[in-house]
Amino acid sequence: MQFKKVNWDMLGIVTSVVCAIHCALLPIILTSLPLFGIEIIHNRAFEFFMIFLAFVIGAFSLLRGYLYKHHQLKPLIVFSLGILFLLSKQIWHRWEIVLLIPAVILIVYGHLLNNKTCHYRHTTSNDTSGIMIPVDHLHQNAG
């Protein structure tokens, strides 16, 4: 049985978009949920869980890209700024949408940069001096 590789950047993008939909559209569309006893619109635990999930997936994805593929700080910086905006909306509730929009844009852009940079480095790296040396290649040269 063969498993497909997980594209952590795409998972991070999906998580960020789901968070944005929750924060921006749910209060507008589903205002009747509290009438039925369902309170997820401004549930702080759920919001912190979504921020934590976006951070963990993003940090894993971007650190892997940085350490093993491209060694570029730009995707990490862009992603970190997005997370800071996301956390700041929890502090300044009055500016929630104003802070949410750049947060999601920066997080998604950080993932896209990471994904693009990983693929660019992978396809243009013809030298064997980097980290991406196949193990079989080492055995062929040794024998």
Side-chain angles (χ1 to χ4, degrees), residues 7-134:
N7 185 335
W8 291 98
D9 289 311
M10 291 309 293
L11 186 60
I13 290 168
V14 168
T15 305
S16 299
V17 170
V18 168
C19 181
I21 289 170
H22 161 74
C23 294
L25 296 179
L26 209 57
I28 296 168
I29 296 171
L30 303 174
T31 55
S32 62
L33 284 179
L35 295 173
F36 302 108
I38 302 170
E39 185 62 45
I40 62 171
I41 293 175
H42 287 289
N43 186 329
R44 290 181 63 78
F46 183 75
E47 289 185 22
F48 277 112
F49 171 74
M50 290 299 291
I51 293 170
F52 176 76
L53 189 62
F55 173 75
V56 168
I57 291 171
F60 181 77
S61 173
L62 275 82
L63 284 174
R64 281 191 57 194
Y66 175 78
L67 293 172
Y68 299 117
K69 302 247 178 156
H70 54 73
H71 308 291
Q72 301 291 317
L73 283 175
K74 187 175 179 181
L76 283 168
I77 292 169
V78 170
F79 173 78
S80 298
L81 285 172
I83 291 294
L84 285 175
F85 272 96
L86 204 56
L87 288 170
S88 64
K89 85 172 192 62
Q90 293 300 108
I91 298 168
W92 296 290
H93 297 288
R94 180 179 251 171
W95 300 95
E96 185 171 7
I97 297 297
V98 173
L99 294 169
L100 175 67
I101 293 169
V104 172
I105 290 171
L106 288 169
I107 290 170
V108 169
Y109 184 58
H111 280 292
L112 290 173
L113 271 176
N114 188 55
N115 198 24
K116 179 181 175 183
T117 310
C118 284
H119 287 295
Y120 175 76
R121 280 297 242 198
H122 180 69
T123 58
T124 60
S125 178
N126 292 329
D127 65 325
T128 58
S129 62
I131 288 177
M132 297 176 3
I133 300 172

